[in-house]
Amino acid sequence: GEKRQATIKIGINAPITGDIPKVGEGTKYAAQMWLEGIQAAGGLQVGDKKYPVELVIEDNEAKAESAVKANTKMITEDGVLAIIGPQASKQAIPAGGVANDYQTLMISPWSTNPDTTKNRPYVFRGCFLDPFQGPVVAKFIKGEFGFSKAAVLYDVASDYPKGLAEFFKKAWEEINGPGSVVAYESFTTKDTDFSAQLTKIKDSGAEFLFTPQYYNEVALIVKQAHELGFTQPIVGSDSWGSAETVKLCGPDCYGLFFSTHYAAAGAQGATKEFIDRYQKKYGYVPDDVAALTWDSIRLVAQAIEKTGGLTGDLKKDRQAVRDQMAKIKDFAGITGNMTFTEEGDPIKCAVIVRISDKGEFEFYKQVCP
Amino acid sequence: MQLRVENLHVSYDQIRALHGVSFSIDAGEIVCIIGANGAGKSTTLRAISRLVPADKGAGLRFEGHDLLAFAPDKVVSVLGISHVPEGRRLFGNLSVLENLQLATFARRDPQGIKRDMERVFSIFPRLLERRTQYAATLSGGEQQMLAVGRAYMTGHRMMLLDEPSMGLAPLMMLSMFEALKEINRDGTTILLVEQNARLALKFAQRGYVIENGRIVLEGSSEALLNDPEVKKAYLGG
Amino acid sequence: MAFFMQNVINALQWGSFYALIALGYSMVYSILMLFNFTHGDIFMTGAYIGLGVATALLALVAALGWSLPGWLLLVATIIISMFITSLLGVLVERVGYRPLRSAPRASAAITGLMIGIILEYGNLALLGTQRLSFPELIQTTTYSVGSVYFTNKKIFIVVVALLLMVGLHQFIQKSRWGMAMRAMSYDFPIVPLMGVSLNLIAPLTFAIGSALAAAGGILYGMAYPVLDPFMGILLGWKSFVAAILGGRGSILGAALAGFLLGFIEIFTTMVFPSTFRDLIAYSIILLILTFRPYGFFGQAHSTQLRL
Amino acid sequence: MGGSDLNQPMLKPVLIKRLRDFFAPVPALAWLAGILCAVLIEYQWGDALAVALYLPKVPPLFGATLVLKQPLLFPWAMLFVCLVYGVPIVLIGRLTAGPANRAAAALGRMPVWVSVLLHLLLLYIALHIWTETSDYRLQVAKLIMIAVMLTLSLNVINGYMGEFSCSHPGFMALGAYMASVFSLLLFKADRVFGAPVLPEAWGPYFFPLALAAGGMAAALGALVVAIPSFRTRGDYLAIISLAFMFIVKSAIENIDAIGGPRGLGGQPHWSTLPAVFAGMSLCIWIINNFVRSTLGKALNAVRDNETAAEAMTVNTRRTKMVAFLFGAFWAGVAGGFYAHEVRHVTPGGFGIQNLAEVLAMVYFGGLNSVVGSIVGAVSISFLSEILKPLLLYKWIVIPLILILVMIFRPTGLIAFRDFDPRRIVGPRR
Amino acid sequence: MSLLQVEDMTHFFGGLRAVSGYRLSIAAGEIRGLIGPNGAGKTTIFNLITGIHTPTKGSIRLENRSLIGLRPHQIAARGLGRTFQNMLLWRHMTVLEHVKLAHYAQLKYGLAGAFFGTRLCRAEEERVEENAHRLLETFDVARFAHQNVTQLPYGVQRRVEMARAMATRPKILFLDEPTAGMTPEELVQMIGIIRQIHSEFKVAILLIEHRLKFVMELCQRIQTLVFGEVIAEGTPEEIKNNPQVIEAYLGKEEVA
Ligand SMILES: Nc1ncnc2c1ncn2[C@@H]1O[C@H](COP(=O)(O)OP(=O)(O)OP(=O)(O)O)[C@@H](O)[C@H]1O
Ligand SMILES: Nc1ncnc2c1ncn2[C@@H]1O[C@H](COP(=O)(O)OP(=O)(O)OP(=O)(O)O)[C@@H](O)[C@H]1O
Ligand SMILES: [Mg+2]
Ligand SMILES: [Mg+2]
């Protein structure tokens, strides 16, 4: 039905239920907040026409097959122009396959697995890849503290921490020579007791601990480390970048560093505006998922706008949107400036954040590739 | 009139097993119910113990109480009606002694419990020998002894016995019926269900014959023993 | 040596949670012969109730301007929460298990699983998706002997787990209530003939089991102060492993197996690369059960009815 | 006792009986003809009708997805379903009953498999046309069929043999990985295994082999659970099987050659409708045959009383071995289909959540029942798809439904029922 | 030439000697009885011979081949059929299915046959079904063929169990209290049935029973067991008048 393509539909493939409902919520909220802005402006201006926008939000239950079904449904039934999500690689990789097969633009704001976008011209991502962030952290620590013995603690069953841990290890050993990662310990998703691993880490004589985990685990890891008498610095990655980290962790986390996309405290411009709006609306400081989703959806919007007009033929329009997306240069996102590589991965800068003694995320340093 | 059963209907999954059974027992009597396989003997006892619900319209009174108003456990603990269920149904994961102790769950008379326990052991000395053994590992007959002993321990204003002789050796059976007689003399009413009609009638004072869920005949034991119909159908010619 | 001792302490704490949850599990499980898949989620709910009670108490105390010692508040929290959670247990029994008393056990297990899911998502719907942190009722004090570290909380937790274990064991093995519960697991329809009310024993069992879960939840919240609605799932399943590894119906066995499970997990991490932890830990459990098919204290055929 | 008291419950049965009598002479063949007609109508005029009824599109799942999302459109969707499906199926089914009965009788003179194959073919054609209009439908249908296989295979162990096995996700994972490795290694250029060994075009012909390899791998894994089952059972075996599931997950996580925790992706899209349909039909047919045979009834005897089974010459060890290996095999095959449909598998995807789902399907559908498993898998999958708009509340509603069903039917919706293919394809009256 | 030969069989449960030095030799076609007070070890002897327990000591030979170490189903397939004191029926199976399944060891088709429903499989199923129906007729339970066993009256269940045991084509049939819970009338019927199967199938029978009428009428020879030891063996007449047996088992006054 071409005639009825009067509104622009954008699909959101989010894990509303399942293991990571918080991620789903962030995705949904960011997208809805964006939609409000668009509706206030009377629609999305494409060429000479203003189109109303509709979000099609599908729950992928944090399951691969549901993510695949959701994508198929949104593409073939709902006729979406582009899809935001899924967030976790476990869903983003298979769902990306579907989007690519149907030649529909999909951007996963949060998935760091190379397979998500690899050989898939229609699939993009909104975050930086592990091969970039790993060395960033390694270099920063070397420069800042001059340590040479590192310990890593990560979740082996989860994509993101595992990838990042590997790249960090590689980078660290390139700088400090083989064997300089003296403890490389893992656990499994949903574990809450890390005492055995931390005891091993403490015993290994590591000078610091790198743990690219999510905020809920960070709190437990840091506290347990301190209870076991581990007093060296603990360093993290962008997954620490949630207001919850400090809320759950408390003073134990004060003074620690992590690399991320943006620093909430002392943020400026669009970033600050986003954070304030989000906090006002939903009552808490947005985490990285929300911020990345926000950027991704704006990227999609920009690509749509740049097509200069929609034909009403979904297939053609989808192609046009994807082509415009690939061409985007220096997009000013709240999580940094982005340009896409051949594979659809963004090149962007990272910042190092320090958790202040008041528990705020302070900008410390910027690191660009 | 200690127990009066009137117009008792019972159904299992919509299939009627009892079609209006009525009878009554005086305190201190020994009464037996005889009948063929599947006639509804066990069901009658179960209905008195409230293990199966009676259909509407039934009247069950025990010493002036409306039985239907009592939960199954209260029938035992408050009214003192004990029941030796069909198929023994022991708690195999408890020892012999624990099975007997559990039966006194609701009793508050330590003296009485002690006396009753001694009595059970004197009727069935084998149980005393085997008191620490799991009930499940007892031989068939030993289990039957425990089932009777256990029922006695729960209380004994009235005992409902469902085929207590099953699996007992002849000698054992004799001594058990002797003991039951004695228990009866001490004031326990006994309602006995037996396949072995001759045995039952010899033991009881009165009897009822049940057929297809209905009482078809009643009378004193001698009368029934000499009834030609009963003789033909239930006494093996 | 210090390294080893430290791990022993780690294992004791971690094992005590498995033990605690397995205790409650084993209560309901071995008594009603039901896989009580709800237990993990009751544990979770207990932790949340504990959090609610603790927060309320703290607010009340602050409002009244009293200054009570932390341990008093902790004890009050535990007691109140145990009570509230036991009511939940009774409700679960009433809704999910009683109607299925004579159904195949697996069916009741499935309703349990479903009630668990309702508790999880009910929590999510009620409290939102953010994780909550458990308030610090007592100050953590860290002690060290040489380079072995432990905290006051750890000692408290292990002691409570051991006490409950011994107490419950006595209760089940020696009291007539315990006897009735065991009998019920064997052949419930006949239990009323002993003058025992099923509708008393079953809720009681659930109440005790759930109260234990609440105690476990609060202690857990103290040790791992990040609560989320799904925290009970994995722990629940693993305690299920412990409860049965100990031998069906054996309270002591369940608790010991809980500690053992903790030790296995911690020590495999200690000795092997930690990525192999689950692989090795569960292979050990599989082997144990292959060679001790009825757990540590389980009775094999001896309690099944004679042929 | 008033007369009205008696009448009230009578009213409904009379109506139902009338209806039943009306449709009693309709054989499967006629129903199939009706269904075929309906899907053809939808294929031809569905879009036009949908537009006429204010619907944006042909409702993909009988309009069920609309109830919650756009309730206003739901009546129209119902009307659509009535017009497109209800009327043709009922009319054509009833009208062709006569000739269809004669045809079925004629077929009845040939070997059963001819008739069964013909019915299956017709059913397939209908399904094919039905899924032609919507890829979403197609995908949902395929995943449901995979769920049917999984549920059925679990029912063999949990329902027929009465063990509480928790290892099914593990079996499925083994099958999924083995089949994936097979197809990736031989037929597909990918990151993990490099260039293919055989030309890619040959691939689909070797798919059954890949699936069989997956099934075999799962069956081999099942030995780990089957052997302890000789000496223990019930809860203890449940724990062994649960441990097995954790072991499989952890083992796959530790083998980097097959992607480790990041998973294995890029499988060719071989799980086409005909492939999945054929797989499921074969699975149902074989399992149904087995459980109806005397050899298969040994499973029930082992469940109900093992000692008695032994005393009646039943080799219980062999029986247990067969049940576990056989159940695992089909779970592995289902895993292979799954991997080639979703085209990315991770060890984390085969965990406790899957277990809970498939257990729910088995016990909801009905223990010891082929029909029940089909009903269970279809209805739970379908429910879970259409209730998605409820978001979080979906997971409160579905469990509630399940609890209610369990309370009123403790052994599941349709327990203890296998079917006789002869009866189904045969003529009526 | 004896069919079953048990020599010097002894068994302990923990410290309890349940059976000691038991001997038995049954020839083809004999009907033998085993009586004794409760807990004497009768059921234990059945369990030992049929392989459910392994004797602490002793030898058991069927047609001169040792049964020790064989699994129960192998022993059953060699020709030892039995019933159980507590009736072990399969709760969810119909009467017909019970009897059909007992043909397990005689089935000629294998797994592949069952999976694909081969011609052989179908032929076998038909044969088994026919045979089962015949047995049901013999035991007068044919009208319950499609009923679930649990709902049947006690006596019917007993006969189903016996039909099931006969379906294994035993050379010797072990009956453990076959008339417990039966009316006198049924007892008479049971005597008839046992005579019938005995002559029809040429099966030897060993039975445990407390109903003396039954034992005395059927058995050619009777053993009396007390505390695990045989105290007397002989014809019914001999046993009835043996003072030791009267003292330990029968009692002075005969019951029923
Ligand atoms: N649990 C049950 N479910 C269905 N029907 C039952 C059940 N128990 C008994 N019945 C049926 O109810 C009727 C009466 O059974 P009941 O057990 O009371 O007979 P009985 O006289 O005790 O027989 P028996 O001598 O065999 O013990 C029988 O037809 C029996 O099949
Ligand atoms: N597993 C066991 N542990 C301990 N004692 C046992 C075990 N099994 C059986 N016994 C004992 O062995 C003895 C013999 O039991 P058995 O069942 O053989 O007796 P039986 O002669 O069949 O008696 P009945 O006529 O009462 O059935 C009994 O005293 C019983 O308590
Ligand atoms: Mg009876
Ligand atoms: Mg015996």
Side-chain angles (χ1 to χ4, degrees), chain D residues 40-97:
Chain D
L40 274 171
I41 291 174
E42 189 192 59
Y43 186 71
Q44 276 298 326
W45 300 292
D47 264 321
L49 187 66
V51 172
L53 289 176
Y54 308 102
L55 293 169
K57 249 187 142 197
V58 172
L61 300 177
F62 309 110
T65 34
L66 288 175
V67 195
L68 298 162
K69 275 207 158 161
Q70 289 156 292
L72 280 183
L73 288 182
F74 183 63
W76 295 113
M78 284 323 304
L79 189 61
F80 179 93
V81 171
C82 274
L83 287 177
V84 171
Y85 297 101
V87 175
I89 292 180
V90 168
L91 271 185
I92 307 238
R94 189 66 186 86
L95 288 179
T96 57

Side-chain angles (χ1 to χ4, degrees), chain E:
Chain E
M1 180 57 234
S2 69
L3 188 60
L4 178 74
Q5 186 94 38
V6 181
E7 295 285 347
D8 200 23
M9 183 168 74
T10 301
H11 190 67
F12 286 86
F13 286 114
L16 178 82
R17 191 168 61 194
V19 177
S20 72
Y22 180 75
R23 287 162 197 283
L24 172 73
S25 144
I26 300 184
E30 261 189 296
I31 302 186
R32 298 282 292 265
L34 185 57
I35 59 173
N38 295 122
K42 304 179 293 296
T43 304
T44 309
I45 287 174
F46 273 19
N47 288 343
L48 289 170
I49 298 178
T50 52
I52 288 167
H53 299 312
T54 313
T56 318
K57 196 175 116 206
S59 82
I60 305 168
R61 304 176 74 81
L62 181 71
E63 296 178 316
N64 249 333
R65 282 153 67 201
S66 172
L67 298 184
I68 304 269
L70 294 187
R71 306 245 326 276
H73 75 90
Q74 291 167 318
I75 294 176
R78 291 237 181 129
L80 277 186
R82 73 170 288 183
T83 65
F84 295 88
Q85 180 174 346
N86 287 345
M87 277 198 301
L88 302 184
L89 293 170
W90 297 308
R91 276 189 302 149
H92 297 284
M93 289 166 70
T94 63
V95 170
L96 182 63
E97 281 170 352
H98 271 80
V99 181
K100 276 173 77 177
L101 182 55
H103 290 80
Y104 184 91
Q106 300 153 35
L107 294 176
K108 291 199 188 69
Y109 63 89
L111 278 177
F115 290 160
F116 300 106
T118 56
R119 193 165 304 157
L120 175 65
C121 167
R122 270 175 289 145
E124 277 286 290
E125 290 288 332
E126 257 164 49
R127 180 183 69 81
V128 166
E129 176 135 3
E130 219 170 278
N131 207 24
H133 274 299
R134 204 145 2 102
L135 280 167
L136 292 184
E137 293 290 345
T138 309
F139 285 90
D140 191 25
V141 286
R143 72 209 121 105
F144 305 110
H146 295 285
Q147 275 192 36
N148 217 312
V149 282
T150 39
Q151 297 158 5
L152 299 175
Y154 205 83
V156 176
Q157 294 190 14
R158 282 249 175 245
R159 293 198 300 259
V160 171
E161 208 199 10
M162 225 181 275
R164 179 179 75 170
M166 282 313 293
T168 64
R169 280 205 203 143
K171 299 185 177 103
I172 303 184
L173 183 61
F174 285 20
L175 300 174
D176 199 344
E177 302 193 22
T179 69
M182 283 192 176
T183 54
E185 182 192 18
E186 283 175 315
L187 188 124
V188 174
Q189 185 195 17
M190 189 47 84
I191 292 177
I193 291 178
I194 288 181
R195 289 226 164 96
Q196 186 188 348
I197 56 170
H198 176 243
S199 64
E200 192 174 325
F201 300 96
K202 306 278 176 281
V203 61
I205 295 173
L206 175 62
L207 53 89
I208 296 176
E209 195 40 85
H210 292 302
R211 304 277 276 266
L212 289 177
K213 174 173 179 183
F214 189 75
V215 193
M216 299 299 169
E217 198 152 312
L218 277 171
C219 300
Q220 292 146 4
R221 284 183 77 75
I222 297 172
Q223 280 182 329
T224 309
L225 203 68
V226 175
F227 288 118
E229 284 178 66
V230 178
I231 56 158
E233 179 164 0
T235 61
E237 268 322 298
E238 288 165 10
I239 290 294
K240 226 187 272 184
N241 301 320
N242 184 318
Q244 266 177 301
V245 176
I246 293 174
E247 153 90 37
Y249 181 64
L250 296 176
K252 303 279 178 298
E253 158 197 10
E254 201 203 316
V255 199

Side-chain angles (χ1 to χ4, degrees), chain B residues 33-102:
Chain B
I33 301 180
I34 59 175
N37 246 304
K41 305 182 293 294
S42 305
T43 306
T44 308
L45 297 197
R46 280 182 215 141
I48 296 172
S49 303
R50 312 278 295 116
L51 287 181
V52 291
D55 293 354
K56 268 208 199 84
L60 289 167
R61 299 196 72 79
F62 183 80
E63 297 183 342
H65 301 278
D66 179 11
L67 257 181
L68 295 176
F70 284 78
D73 59 297
K74 294 288 180 290
V75 171
V76 178
S77 59
V78 177
L79 302 180
I81 302 181
S82 57
H83 185 165
V84 179
E86 185 176 40
R88 298 156 193 165
R89 309 290 286 270
L90 299 174
F91 301 113
N93 60 341
L94 303 187
S95 69
V96 170
L97 196 61
E98 282 174 327
N99 265 285
L100 293 173
Q101 282 169 347
L102 176 62

